[in-house]
Amino acid sequence: MALCCGDQGEGSDLDRQIASQIQRGARKTKNKIKILLLGAGESGKSTVAKQFRLIHEDNFTDDETNFYLTIIHSNVYTSMRSILVAGDEFEIRIKDDEELAAVAEEIVEEEFEWDGELTKSIGKTIKSLWDNKYVQRMYERRAEYQLTDSAEFYLSDVMRLCKSDYQPNDDDILRSRVKTT
């Protein structure tokens, strides 16, 4: 009979090991809560998830921080570009600085040299644009076009963000905007 059914000793040991693994897995996931966040685009679902993470887990890893660094640099550039494109549509243009007006036009026409890195030179240019009274007029009309909520936060502090040793802090990461699906 033992030859037909196999050795019961090996099978029951394997059964016990599998049952033990299942129990360990169940204990690990017992305290985990899963949340489904629903909402329209730009309603803050990803931000809430990042806040939960910061409150209930450790800080972001170095890899995640480096990922958000590139996202934040992109947010700075795209925010300024959105403001300038809107200004172009509203026929609000920089009139008090020809050189700055030419740079603004390059950004609007996508002819500006942007490789995704926010260098000190590009940071100074964006700061000059942000400080310009005509760009501020464009920004004041932000309710009339799409602009991320973090635009003012990043553009007001662009010189900190373009330092070579800049590492995003939790607030920078929470305000970052990456298109999610």
Side-chain angles (χ1 to χ4, degrees), residues 21 27 32 44 53 66 81 86 94 114 129 141 144 156:
Q21 282 182 332
R27 280 193 298 269
K32 280 194 176 181
R53 167 118 188 250
N66 289 333
R81 186 171 187 287
I94 297 172
W114 170 252
L129 285 164
R141 294 183 64 178
E144 299 174 52
S156 296

Side-chain angles (χ1 to χ4, degrees), residues 134-181:
Y134 294 101
V135 172
Q136 287 299 311
R137 282 189 201 154
M138 296 172 203
Y139 176 73
E140 287 170 8
R141 294 183 64 178
R142 65 190 174 275
E144 299 174 52
Y145 60 95
Q146 186 157 354
L147 185 66
T148 60
D149 291 342
S150 60
E152 181 179 19
F153 175 79
Y154 289 139
L155 294 170
S156 296
D157 208 9
V158 69
M159 294 313 294
R160 176 179 65 89
L161 306 177
C162 72
K163 289 181 179 176
S164 61
D165 62 346
Y166 165 68
Q167 285 295 306
N169 59 37
D170 291 344
D171 202 25
D172 295 337
I173 291 172
L174 283 174
R175 292 172 186 261
S176 68
R177 176 72 182 115
V178 60
K179 195 164 206 140
T180 53
T181 56

